[in-house]
Structure formats: C-alpha cells, structure tokens
Amino acid sequence: MTKVLVATDKPFAKVAVAGIRKVVEAAGFELALLEKYTEVSQFLAAVADADALIVRSDLVTAEVLDAAKQLKIVVRAGAGFDNIDLEAATKHGVVVMNTPGQNSNAVAELAFEMMLYQARGGFAGKSGFELRGKTLGLHAFGYVGKCMAAIAKGFGMQLFAYDPFLSAEDIAKEGVTPVASAEELYEKCQYVSLHMPANAKTKLSINHALLSRMPKGATLVNTARAEVIHEEDLLRVFEERPDFVYLSDVAPICKADIEAKYPGRFLFTAKKMGAQTEEANTNAGIAAAEQIRDFIVKGDKRFQVNK
Ligand code: 3PG
C-alpha cells in the first residue's frame, strides 16, 4: 500500500492532520505521522518505507533521501523549498513540489500584527502612531506580497513594490505603485516587508547599502528567511540609526546582541509562526496530500520545483 509520511518538527494543527488523513485514506493510501521529532535518526527510520513525504521547514537532506529507498515524491507544505536538497532529490528520481499561495494570508497577517504591535508600543499604554498614510514597500510581490497589499489598503497605507520577476504593469494592476529597483523601494518606504525566497541571489542581499537609504522611522519586516539578511550590516544599521526597527518572524543569529543593545527596537517571535494558523495548515496540508494523490494516481506534476 502507498505510504504517505507527514514529518513535521513543528506539527500542523490537529484539524489539518485530519484533513490530510481524509484525502490520503480516500485515495486508498496509508498515513504515517512523525511529529516533534528530536533526532534526525527518527526521521531516517520513519522515511525508510515511505512512498511520499509531506514536510514543512524540515530538512530533507541527501542523507534523508538516501534513507528513503521507496520515495517518489516530497511535498513541502508551504512556499519556500530551501530546506530540500533539490539536487539530491533529482539524483534519486524524487519529484519535489511546494504548495504556493496556500499559507500566504497567515504570513501577511502576522507581518501586520507585528507592525501594529510595534506602532502601539507593545500595547503598554503609551501614545503610539498610526499606519495610515505611511509608506510600505513590498520587496518581492508574490502571494504573500499581494495579501499584504490587500490588508495595507484597508489601513490607508501608501503602497510600493519591487519584484525582479514582474513587470511594472503586473504590479500596477494590483493597485500598487511599481518601482524600478530595490534601491528606489528602500528610499521611498518607511516600512519595507520582505517576501522573497532564500536562494543564491537573495541570500545576504538585504544589506547596509539598502537599509541606510530608508527614510526616518525605518522599519524592516521579515517574515521571509533569516538568510536574506546581511547580519553584520544589520547590526551596523542598528548602531548608526537610532530610529531603525526590525520586526522578524525568522530570528537572526545575532538576535541576542540586538536584544541586549537595542531595547524597544525589535520584535522576534518565539519560533517561526507566520504560517502557524489552523487555516494555513489546513490549506497547505490538504493541498500537499491532494498533489501527492494526483501525482501517484495520474502522474500530475504541476507544482514540481525540481524539473
Ligand atoms: C513557507 O515557506 O511556506 C513559510 O516560511 C512557512 O514555513 P513553516 O511551514 O515552516 O511554518
């Protein structure tokens, strides 16, 4: 019987697991669950006889793929697939997919929640400021960027976006002002929210040259990946600009340094939780299960990322 393993260090909400189970069992497959595992060896043992694998940010390394002798498909229930060794998967003949757009509203809501909490001084009772009229720059304008734009419009923010893969027309038709370069985005915007994946081009790309261009009241919002930030430069900007604030769902390595030196100018979630809602878990988990079913039953390779 086809075995589908859900291996999640950070488990899905119960309702999402029930939804995944329903799709898997209706297809005549068997579901195995490995949640909150603490050792890689547990993952290696669980994946040994799996035909299909659903993960979140769990690392699917060459070692995992070597151990997964029956594996045909891995679906990353989420957007970013930087946790999967695509080269090793391709070498093993394993199809890799993601579930684009399924958790993006949750991520956008979290970015806004952090912005609101910061603007009102952590709800501690002091006078804060409003988001209305402020400039918000969306650095990359995919599913999450578009959800951010929809929310920001309700707040009356002025919206700008830069995405190297989209034309000015593509951005403008969403009611957002396109800018020609990342430099221009940072020059114009008090808030910049990051929505790019972590890859060879984007890693370390958010640097001093960009951040130092931001106007007074500069706030960087990062619900994307820690790796896109040049941390040495980030610390330099913190030091040079007393107005600079960093709100992040993906804690930097230098987190303790920032917490010690710059009180009131940062917000770090306890653990990456942008996509941690029942709705996002259910959407992404069920999409992953359906993609596996359609691949195994019909050979459907839509959403494959290691073509
Ligand atoms: C994604 O890439 O979809 C998000 O970063 C969510 O990641 P998570 O499933 O590990 O919370």
Side-chain angles (χ1 to χ4, degrees), residues 10 56-57 76-80 103 107 223-225 272 275-276:
K10 183 173 61 184
R56 296 185 64 178
S57 292
R76 193 287 191 233
N103 59 16
V107 178
T223 53
R225 288 293 182 270
K272 187 169 86 157
Q276 198 60 330

PDB file of all heavy atoms in Angstrom, residues 10 56-57 76-80 103 107 223-225 272 275-276, ligand 1:
ATOM      1  N   LYS A  10       7.632  20.923  13.533  1.00  0.00           N
ATOM      2  CA  LYS A  10       6.628  21.860  14.060  1.00  0.00           C
ATOM      3  C   LYS A  10       5.282  21.355  13.517  1.00  0.00           C
ATOM      4  O   LYS A  10       4.963  21.570  12.349  1.00  0.00           O
ATOM      5  CB  LYS A  10       6.958  23.262  13.517  1.00  0.00           C
ATOM      6  CG  LYS A  10       6.078  24.365  14.004  1.00  0.00           C
ATOM      7  CD  LYS A  10       6.602  25.734  13.533  1.00  0.00           C
ATOM      8  CE  LYS A  10       6.636  25.850  12.034  1.00  0.00           C
ATOM      9  NZ  LYS A  10       7.205  27.109  11.540  1.00  0.00           N
ATOM     10  N   ARG A  56       7.300  20.447   6.400  1.00  0.00           N
ATOM     11  CA  ARG A  56       7.203  21.920   6.467  1.00  0.00           C
ATOM     12  C   ARG A  56       8.626  22.439   6.268  1.00  0.00           C
ATOM     13  O   ARG A  56       9.183  22.275   5.203  1.00  0.00           O
ATOM     14  CB  ARG A  56       6.578  22.345   7.792  1.00  0.00           C
ATOM     15  CG  ARG A  56       5.147  21.850   7.910  1.00  0.00           C
ATOM     16  CD  ARG A  56       4.465  22.342   9.148  1.00  0.00           C
ATOM     17  NE  ARG A  56       4.315  23.801   9.151  1.00  0.00           N
ATOM     18  CZ  ARG A  56       3.710  24.483  10.097  1.00  0.00           C
ATOM     19  NH1 ARG A  56       3.203  23.853  11.132  1.00  0.00           N
ATOM     20  NH2 ARG A  56       3.602  25.787  10.034  1.00  0.00           N
ATOM     21  N   SER A  57       9.237  23.029   7.317  1.00  0.00           N
ATOM     22  CA  SER A  57      10.618  23.511   7.163  1.00  0.00           C
ATOM     23  C   SER A  57      11.637  22.415   7.469  1.00  0.00           C
ATOM     24  O   SER A  57      12.831  22.687   7.570  1.00  0.00           O
ATOM     25  CB  SER A  57      10.872  24.693   8.094  1.00  0.00           C
ATOM     26  OG  SER A  57      10.121  25.795   7.665  1.00  0.00           O
ATOM     27  N   ARG A  76       6.596  19.987   0.002  1.00  0.00           N
ATOM     28  CA  ARG A  76       6.822  20.966   1.055  1.00  0.00           C
ATOM     29  C   ARG A  76       5.485  21.696   1.219  1.00  0.00           C
ATOM     30  O   ARG A  76       5.063  22.422   0.292  1.00  0.00           O
ATOM     31  CB  ARG A  76       7.942  21.917   0.594  1.00  0.00           C
ATOM     32  CG  ARG A  76       8.520  22.800   1.682  1.00  0.00           C
ATOM     33  CD  ARG A  76       7.599  23.903   2.088  1.00  0.00           C
ATOM     34  NE  ARG A  76       8.306  24.842   2.938  1.00  0.00           N
ATOM     35  CZ  ARG A  76       7.892  25.228   4.118  1.00  0.00           C
ATOM     36  NH1 ARG A  76       6.746  24.771   4.613  1.00  0.00           N
ATOM     37  NH2 ARG A  76       8.584  26.100   4.804  1.00  0.00           N
ATOM     38  N   ALA A  77       4.786  21.462   2.326  1.00  0.00           N
ATOM     39  CA  ALA A  77       3.504  22.122   2.556  1.00  0.00           C
ATOM     40  C   ALA A  77       3.797  23.571   2.932  1.00  0.00           C
ATOM     41  O   ALA A  77       3.931  23.916   4.098  1.00  0.00           O
ATOM     42  CB  ALA A  77       2.729  21.414   3.657  1.00  0.00           C
ATOM     43  N   GLY A  78       3.951  24.397   1.926  1.00  0.00           N
ATOM     44  CA  GLY A  78       4.324  25.790   2.136  1.00  0.00           C
ATOM     45  C   GLY A  78       4.965  26.325   0.872  1.00  0.00           C
ATOM     46  O   GLY A  78       4.940  25.671  -0.177  1.00  0.00           O
ATOM     47  N   ALA A  79       5.567  27.500   1.004  1.00  0.00           N
ATOM     48  CA  ALA A  79       6.087  28.176  -0.183  1.00  0.00           C
ATOM     49  C   ALA A  79       7.568  27.893  -0.420  1.00  0.00           C
ATOM     50  O   ALA A  79       7.978  27.425  -1.480  1.00  0.00           O
ATOM     51  CB  ALA A  79       5.854  29.680  -0.040  1.00  0.00           C
ATOM     52  N   GLY A  80       8.398  28.180   0.605  1.00  0.00           N
ATOM     53  CA  GLY A  80       9.849  28.118   0.436  1.00  0.00           C
ATOM     54  C   GLY A  80      10.355  26.691   0.491  1.00  0.00           C
ATOM     55  O   GLY A  80      10.036  25.951   1.415  1.00  0.00           O
ATOM     56  N   ASN A 103      -0.472  29.234   2.268  1.00  0.00           N
ATOM     57  CA  ASN A 103      -0.355  29.766   3.637  1.00  0.00           C
ATOM     58  C   ASN A 103      -0.069  31.275   3.643  1.00  0.00           C
ATOM     59  O   ASN A 103       0.285  31.833   4.686  1.00  0.00           O
ATOM     60  CB  ASN A 103       0.722  29.000   4.429  1.00  0.00           C
ATOM     61  CG  ASN A 103       2.097  29.076   3.781  1.00  0.00           C
ATOM     62  OD1 ASN A 103       2.318  29.917   2.919  1.00  0.00           O
ATOM     63  ND2 ASN A 103       3.015  28.219   4.195  1.00  0.00           N
ATOM     64  N   VAL A 107       0.788  34.456   6.746  1.00  0.00           N
ATOM     65  CA  VAL A 107       2.081  35.138   6.843  1.00  0.00           C
ATOM     66  C   VAL A 107       1.877  36.658   6.773  1.00  0.00           C
ATOM     67  O   VAL A 107       2.454  37.414   7.567  1.00  0.00           O
ATOM     68  CB  VAL A 107       3.043  34.640   5.736  1.00  0.00           C
ATOM     69  CG1 VAL A 107       4.367  35.382   5.802  1.00  0.00           C
ATOM     70  CG2 VAL A 107       3.270  33.133   5.853  1.00  0.00           C
ATOM     71  N   THR A 223       9.271  38.329   7.347  1.00  0.00           N
ATOM     72  CA  THR A 223       8.568  37.053   7.568  1.00  0.00           C
ATOM     73  C   THR A 223       9.047  36.048   6.518  1.00  0.00           C
ATOM     74  O   THR A 223       8.417  35.017   6.314  1.00  0.00           O
ATOM     75  CB  THR A 223       7.036  37.219   7.445  1.00  0.00           C
ATOM     76  OG1 THR A 223       6.759  37.837   6.186  1.00  0.00           O
ATOM     77  CG2 THR A 223       6.456  38.040   8.571  1.00  0.00           C
ATOM     78  N   ALA A 224      10.170  36.380   5.848  1.00  0.00           N
ATOM     79  CA  ALA A 224      10.654  35.534   4.751  1.00  0.00           C
ATOM     80  C   ALA A 224      11.687  34.533   5.263  1.00  0.00           C
ATOM     81  O   ALA A 224      11.320  33.439   5.720  1.00  0.00           O
ATOM     82  CB  ALA A 224      11.215  36.418   3.636  1.00  0.00           C
ATOM     83  N   ARG A 225      12.948  34.886   5.210  1.00  0.00           N
ATOM     84  CA  ARG A 225      14.004  33.983   5.674  1.00  0.00           C
ATOM     85  C   ARG A 225      15.114  34.800   6.327  1.00  0.00           C
ATOM     86  O   ARG A 225      15.455  35.884   5.836  1.00  0.00           O
ATOM     87  CB  ARG A 225      14.611  33.198   4.498  1.00  0.00           C
ATOM     88  CG  ARG A 225      13.727  32.122   3.899  1.00  0.00           C
ATOM     89  CD  ARG A 225      13.472  30.969   4.850  1.00  0.00           C
ATOM     90  NE  ARG A 225      12.649  29.921   4.251  1.00  0.00           N
ATOM     91  CZ  ARG A 225      11.304  29.889   4.315  1.00  0.00           C
ATOM     92  NH1 ARG A 225      10.640  30.809   4.966  1.00  0.00           N
ATOM     93  NH2 ARG A 225      10.654  28.894   3.736  1.00  0.00           N
ATOM     94  N   LYS A 272       9.383  30.511  14.389  1.00  0.00           N
ATOM     95  CA  LYS A 272       8.743  30.959  13.133  1.00  0.00           C
ATOM     96  C   LYS A 272       7.278  30.531  13.113  1.00  0.00           C
ATOM     97  O   LYS A 272       6.981  29.337  13.184  1.00  0.00           O
ATOM     98  CB  LYS A 272       9.474  30.368  11.935  1.00  0.00           C
ATOM     99  CG  LYS A 272       8.969  30.936  10.613  1.00  0.00           C
ATOM    100  CD  LYS A 272       9.842  30.561   9.446  1.00  0.00           C
ATOM    101  CE  LYS A 272       9.450  29.244   8.895  1.00  0.00           C
ATOM    102  NZ  LYS A 272       9.797  28.944   7.545  1.00  0.00           N
ATOM    103  N   ALA A 275       3.139  30.972   9.282  1.00  0.00           N
ATOM    104  CA  ALA A 275       2.168  30.058   8.665  1.00  0.00           C
ATOM    105  C   ALA A 275       1.479  29.189   9.700  1.00  0.00           C
ATOM    106  O   ALA A 275       0.828  28.205   9.348  1.00  0.00           O
ATOM    107  CB  ALA A 275       2.881  29.175   7.644  1.00  0.00           C
ATOM    108  N   GLN A 276       1.614  29.553  10.978  1.00  0.00           N
ATOM    109  CA  GLN A 276       1.101  28.690  12.037  1.00  0.00           C
ATOM    110  C   GLN A 276      -0.330  29.061  12.424  1.00  0.00           C
ATOM    111  O   GLN A 276      -0.588  29.530  13.533  1.00  0.00           O
ATOM    112  CB  GLN A 276       2.082  28.742  13.229  1.00  0.00           C
ATOM    113  CG  GLN A 276       1.982  27.633  14.235  1.00  0.00           C
ATOM    114  CD  GLN A 276       2.222  26.239  13.657  1.00  0.00           C
ATOM    115  OE1 GLN A 276       1.948  25.971  12.494  1.00  0.00           O
ATOM    116  NE2 GLN A 276       2.689  25.334  14.470  1.00  0.00           N
TER     117      GLN A 276
HETATM  118  C1  3PG B   1       6.809  28.885   3.926  1.00  0.00           C
HETATM  119  O1  3PG B   1       7.865  28.894   3.280  1.00  0.00           O
HETATM  120  O2  3PG B   1       5.747  28.413   3.472  1.00  0.00           O
HETATM  121  C2  3PG B   1       6.760  29.530   5.288  1.00  0.00           C
HETATM  122  O3  3PG B   1       8.000  30.013   5.651  1.00  0.00           O
HETATM  123  C3  3PG B   1       6.153  28.645   6.357  1.00  0.00           C
HETATM  124  O4  3PG B   1       7.046  27.725   6.880  1.00  0.00           O
HETATM  125  P1  3PG B   1       6.603  26.656   8.003  1.00  0.00           P
HETATM  126  O5  3PG B   1       5.660  25.701   7.374  1.00  0.00           O
HETATM  127  O6  3PG B   1       7.873  26.022   8.434  1.00  0.00           O
HETATM  128  O7  3PG B   1       5.952  27.402   9.118  1.00  0.00           O
END
